[in-house]
Amino acid sequence: MNTSGLYKKALFLSLFTIGYNLVEGILSVTFGLEDETLSLAGFGIDSFIEVVSGLGIMQMVLRIRKNPGSDIGRFEITALKITGLGFYILTAGLAAGIVFSIIRHHRPETTIWGIIIAVSSIIVMTWLASSKIKTGKKLGSDAILADSKCTMVCIYMSIVLLIASLIYQFTGFMFADSIGAAGLAWFSLREGHEALEKAKERRYACCD
C-alpha cells in the first residue's frame, strides 16, 4: 500500500474510533443508568470523552498527511484540553459515586450489559490498536503510534469493567461495581493529566 493509501487507512481508523465510541457511549450510559451500574455508566462517559479525543486525532491525521512535519494546530490543542478536563470531571464523578454507593450499600440490578459491552470493546479495540500500530510503523509516524497506545488504554479499561462485571454477576459481591469504578477513575485521572500535559507541550500524543 502506498503512502496515500496508508493515510486513507489512518483516517478511516480514526473515523471508525469516533463512531464506535459514540455508539458504545450511548449504550453504556443507557444501560448503566437503567441497571444502576456505576462502572458501566462511567465507562460510557469515558467513551464520549474519547470521541472528543478522536476528533483531535482525525484532525492530526489530516494535518500530517498534508504536511508531515507541521506543528500541532489550535483544533488539536483545544481537543486535548477538553479531553483532559473531561477526564478530570469523570474522575471526580466516579469518586463521588463510589462514596455514595458504599455509604448506601448500593447494588446494581445486573452487570450483564457490562460484560457484553466490555467483551465487544476488547475485541474491537484490540483490532483497532493492531491496525494503528501497523499503519503507524509503515508511515513512520510517531503520532499514529502514540494514538495506538491510547487505544490500548481503552482495552485496559474494558478489562477492568469486564472483571468487575463478572465478579458481581456471578458472586454478588457488593463492592465489585465500586472497585471497578475506582479502576476506571484511576485510568481517567492518568489520561486527563497526560492530555493536559500534551496540550502544554503542543504535541498530540496523549499516550506516550
Side-chain angles (χ1 to χ4, degrees), residues 114-132:
I115 296 171
I116 294 171
I117 291 173
V119 170
S120 299
S121 180
I122 291 170
I123 294 171
V124 173
M125 291 300 164
T126 298
W127 167 74
L128 271 174
S130 176
S131 297
K132 289 176 181 180

Side-chain angles (χ1 to χ4, degrees), residues 119-192:
V119 170
S120 299
S121 180
I122 291 170
I123 294 171
V124 173
M125 291 300 164
T126 298
W127 167 74
L128 271 174
S130 176
S131 297
K132 289 176 181 180
I133 290 171
K134 291 177 182 178
T135 304
K137 285 182 177 179
K138 289 179 180 178
L139 285 170
S141 173
D142 291 335
I144 293 175
L145 288 172
D147 179 38
S148 72
K149 294 180 181 179
C150 293
T151 305
M152 290 299 298
V153 174
C154 293
I155 297 173
Y156 303 148
M157 295 180 78
S158 299
I159 291 173
V160 169
L161 174 64
L162 177 60
I163 292 173
S165 299
L166 284 170
I167 290 174
Y168 182 81
Q169 190 66 28
F170 292 103
T171 71
F173 178 53
M174 183 176 66
F175 299 117
D177 186 48
S178 294
I179 293 173
L184 296 180
W186 184 84
F187 278 112
S188 295
L189 182 64
R190 178 181 172 182
E191 286 196 277

Side-chain angles (χ1 to χ4, degrees), residues 76-125:
E76 295 164 68
I77 293 175
T78 301
L80 278 170
K81 289 179 178 179
I82 294 173
T83 298
L85 180 60
F87 277 127
Y88 277 146
I89 293 174
L90 174 58
T91 300
L94 286 171
I98 291 167
V99 172
F100 176 83
S101 295
I102 292 174
I103 292 175
R104 297 291 298 273
H105 293 87
H106 174 73
R107 292 176 179 271
E109 294 293 327
T110 177
T111 55
I112 189 64
W113 279 108
I115 296 171
I116 294 171
I117 291 173
V119 170
S120 299
S121 180
I122 291 170
I123 294 171
V124 173
M125 291 300 164

Side-chain angles (χ1 to χ4, degrees), residues 3-4 7-8 11 58-71 76 139 144:
T3 301
S4 176
Y7 275 118
K8 287 181 179 179
L11 182 59
M58 179 188 70
Q59 177 60 31
M60 178 196 73
V61 172
L62 292 171
R63 172 175 58 80
I64 62 177
R65 181 174 66 173
K66 183 177 181 180
N67 185 358
S70 60
D71 294 328
E76 295 164 68
L139 285 170
I144 293 175

